[in-house]
Amino acid sequence: MSSGPGRRTGSYGAGLAGHLAAEGIEVTEVNRPDRAARRRSGKTDAVDAGAAARAVLGGHATSTPKSKNGPVEDLRVLKVVKDSAVRNRTQAINQLKALLVSAPSQLHESLAGLSNPKLFVACAALDPHANAVHQALHVLAHRIVRLTAEATTLTRRITAITQAHNPQLMELTGVGPDSAAIRLTAAGDNHERLRDEASFAALRGVSPVERSSGKSQRRRLRPCPMW
């Protein structure tokens, strides 16, 4: 079974790919099709399916898809949620500080010079029934506190999974829980599919491909096949 454009084994086709793999059926990830060829032949499900089948039968598609049933998949989903919490927290902080700029001078002066933690505590303590500005700052401060707690909890969980699954990775200089999770997610639970340095380079999109035209010869980086 091959999975190509529109039915990626990492997203829409993940459930089917996992079921087939569990039944012992070989699943192959088809690389992104050549853009020029796709423009010439058009884009339909039938055309894409035919192109995927020819790529597999011709030996051009050889990538084994990532499995999604182990600790690395747990890291991926937790990292997605943590990143969302961090982004939303940053947005809430920016909104709170923007509101303070135009807040009444007495309120602005009472909160000026506070560090972020003290500022959030002070805003969270404001009476939300006093006026709209107090309510907005109160809501944002509580949102920031909640999202901070979410991110902290998820970081602890990510750290625990990483240390249990690959403790050596966390011992590397400059590698924390987030960067470790990113690296493990790139390799996947079934990292044995990366048979050599060349396959890992292809996964990361850094394998050179020769291109020449007339007397000009150059190399470019091959796009990551596990897109």
CSV table of all heavy atoms in Angstrom, one decimal, residues 66 72-73 75 161-163 165-166 169 179-189 191:
chain,number,residue,atom,x,y,z
A,66,LYS,N,6.4,7.0,9.3
A,66,LYS,CA,6.5,6.9,10.7
A,66,LYS,C,5.4,6.2,11.3
A,66,LYS,O,4.2,6.3,10.9
A,66,LYS,CB,6.6,8.3,11.3
A,66,LYS,CG,7.7,9.2,10.9
A,66,LYS,CD,7.6,10.6,11.6
A,66,LYS,CE,8.7,11.5,11.1
A,66,LYS,NZ,8.5,12.8,11.7
A,72,VAL,N,7.2,8.6,21.1
A,72,VAL,CA,7.5,9.7,20.3
A,72,VAL,C,6.3,10.4,19.8
A,72,VAL,O,6.2,11.6,19.7
A,72,VAL,CB,8.4,9.3,19.1
A,72,VAL,CG1,8.6,10.5,18.1
A,72,VAL,CG2,9.8,8.8,19.6
A,73,GLU,N,5.2,9.6,19.5
A,73,GLU,CA,4.0,10.2,19.1
A,73,GLU,C,3.3,11.0,20.3
A,73,GLU,O,2.7,12.0,20.1
A,73,GLU,CB,3.0,9.1,18.6
A,73,GLU,CG,1.6,9.6,18.3
A,73,GLU,CD,1.6,10.6,17.1
A,73,GLU,OE1,2.6,10.8,16.4
A,73,GLU,OE2,0.5,11.2,16.9
A,75,LEU,N,5.1,12.5,22.5
A,75,LEU,CA,5.8,13.7,22.6
A,75,LEU,C,5.3,14.7,21.6
A,75,LEU,O,5.2,15.9,21.8
A,75,LEU,CB,7.3,13.5,22.3
A,75,LEU,CG,8.1,12.8,23.4
A,75,LEU,CD1,9.5,12.5,23.0
A,75,LEU,CD2,8.2,13.7,24.7
A,161,ILE,N,8.8,11.8,29.6
A,161,ILE,CA,8.8,10.9,28.5
A,161,ILE,C,10.1,10.8,27.8
A,161,ILE,O,10.6,9.7,27.5
A,161,ILE,CB,7.7,11.3,27.5
A,161,ILE,CG1,6.3,11.1,28.1
A,161,ILE,CG2,7.7,10.4,26.2
A,161,ILE,CD1,5.2,11.6,27.3
A,162,THR,N,10.7,11.9,27.6
A,162,THR,CA,12.0,11.9,26.9
A,162,THR,C,13.1,11.2,27.7
A,162,THR,O,13.9,10.4,27.2
A,162,THR,CB,12.5,13.4,26.6
A,162,THR,OG1,11.5,14.1,25.9
A,162,THR,CG2,13.8,13.4,25.9
A,163,GLN,N,13.1,11.5,29.0
A,163,GLN,CA,14.1,10.8,29.9
A,163,GLN,C,13.9,9.3,29.9
A,163,GLN,O,14.9,8.5,30.0
A,163,GLN,CB,14.1,11.4,31.3
A,163,GLN,CG,14.6,12.8,31.3
A,163,GLN,CD,14.5,13.5,32.7
A,163,GLN,OE1,13.7,13.1,33.5
A,163,GLN,NE2,15.4,14.4,33.0
A,165,HIS,N,12.5,7.5,27.5
A,165,HIS,CA,12.6,6.9,26.1
A,165,HIS,C,14.1,7.0,25.6
A,165,HIS,O,14.6,6.1,25.0
A,165,HIS,CB,11.7,7.6,25.2
A,165,HIS,CG,11.8,7.1,23.8
A,165,HIS,ND1,11.5,5.8,23.4
A,165,HIS,CD2,12.1,7.7,22.6
A,165,HIS,CE1,11.6,5.6,22.1
A,165,HIS,NE2,12.0,6.8,21.6
A,166,ASN,N,14.7,8.2,25.9
A,166,ASN,CA,16.1,8.4,25.3
A,166,ASN,C,16.8,9.3,26.3
A,166,ASN,O,17.0,10.5,26.0
A,166,ASN,CB,16.0,9.0,23.9
A,166,ASN,CG,17.3,8.9,23.2
A,166,ASN,OD1,18.4,9.1,23.8
A,166,ASN,ND2,17.3,8.7,21.9
A,169,LEU,N,19.9,11.7,25.2
A,169,LEU,CA,19.6,12.9,24.4
A,169,LEU,C,19.6,14.1,25.3
A,169,LEU,O,20.1,15.2,24.9
A,169,LEU,CB,18.3,12.7,23.6
A,169,LEU,CG,18.0,13.8,22.6
A,169,LEU,CD1,19.1,13.9,21.5
A,169,LEU,CD2,16.7,13.5,21.9
A,179,SER,N,13.7,20.8,22.5
A,179,SER,CA,14.6,20.4,21.4
A,179,SER,C,14.7,18.9,21.3
A,179,SER,O,14.8,18.4,20.2
A,179,SER,CB,16.0,21.1,21.5
A,179,SER,OG,16.6,20.8,22.7
A,180,ALA,N,14.7,18.3,22.4
A,180,ALA,CA,14.8,16.8,22.4
A,180,ALA,C,13.5,16.2,21.8
A,180,ALA,O,13.6,15.3,21.0
A,180,ALA,CB,15.0,16.2,23.8
A,181,ALA,N,12.4,16.8,22.1
A,181,ALA,CA,11.1,16.3,21.6
A,181,ALA,C,11.0,16.5,20.0
A,181,ALA,O,10.6,15.7,19.3
A,181,ALA,CB,9.9,17.0,22.2
A,182,ILE,N,11.6,17.7,19.6
A,182,ILE,CA,11.6,18.0,18.2
A,182,ILE,C,12.5,16.9,17.4
A,182,ILE,O,12.1,16.4,16.4
A,182,ILE,CB,12.1,19.4,17.9
A,182,ILE,CG1,11.1,20.4,18.4
A,182,ILE,CG2,12.4,19.6,16.4
A,182,ILE,CD1,11.6,21.8,18.4
A,183,ARG,N,13.6,16.6,18.0
A,183,ARG,CA,14.5,15.7,17.3
A,183,ARG,C,13.9,14.3,17.3
A,183,ARG,O,14.0,13.6,16.3
A,183,ARG,CB,15.9,15.7,18.0
A,183,ARG,CG,16.7,16.9,17.7
A,183,ARG,CD,17.8,17.1,18.7
A,183,ARG,NE,18.8,18.2,18.3
A,183,ARG,CZ,18.5,19.5,18.4
A,183,ARG,NH1,17.3,19.9,18.9
A,183,ARG,NH2,19.4,20.4,18.0
A,184,LEU,N,13.3,13.9,18.4
A,184,LEU,CA,12.8,12.5,18.4
A,184,LEU,C,11.5,12.4,17.5
A,184,LEU,O,11.3,11.4,16.8
A,184,LEU,CB,12.3,12.2,19.9
A,184,LEU,CG,13.5,11.9,20.8
A,184,LEU,CD1,13.0,11.8,22.3
A,184,LEU,CD2,14.3,10.7,20.4
A,185,THR,N,10.8,13.5,17.4
A,185,THR,CA,9.6,13.5,16.5
A,185,THR,C,10.1,13.4,15.1
A,185,THR,O,9.4,12.7,14.2
A,185,THR,CB,8.8,14.8,16.7
A,185,THR,OG1,8.3,14.8,18.1
A,185,THR,CG2,7.6,14.8,15.8
A,186,ALA,N,11.2,14.1,14.7
A,186,ALA,CA,11.7,14.0,13.3
A,186,ALA,C,12.1,12.5,13.0
A,186,ALA,O,11.9,12.1,11.9
A,186,ALA,CB,12.9,14.9,13.2
A,187,ALA,N,12.7,11.8,14.0
A,187,ALA,CA,13.1,10.4,13.7
A,187,ALA,C,11.9,9.5,13.7
A,187,ALA,O,11.9,8.5,13.0
A,187,ALA,CB,14.2,10.0,14.7
A,188,GLY,N,11.0,9.7,14.6
A,188,GLY,CA,9.8,8.9,14.8
A,188,GLY,C,10.0,7.7,15.7
A,188,GLY,O,11.2,7.4,16.1
A,189,ASP,N,9.0,7.0,16.0
A,189,ASP,CA,9.1,5.8,16.9
A,189,ASP,C,9.8,4.7,16.2
A,189,ASP,O,10.6,4.0,16.9
A,189,ASP,CB,7.7,5.3,17.3
A,189,ASP,CG,7.0,6.2,18.4
A,189,ASP,OD1,7.6,6.2,19.5
A,189,ASP,OD2,6.0,6.8,18.1
A,191,HIS,N,12.5,4.5,14.3
A,191,HIS,CA,13.7,5.2,13.7
A,191,HIS,C,14.5,4.2,12.9
A,191,HIS,O,15.4,4.7,12.2
A,191,HIS,CB,14.5,5.8,14.8
A,191,HIS,CG,14.9,4.9,15.9
A,191,HIS,ND1,16.0,4.1,15.7
A,191,HIS,CD2,14.4,4.6,17.1
A,191,HIS,CE1,16.2,3.3,16.8
A,191,HIS,NE2,15.2,3.6,17.6
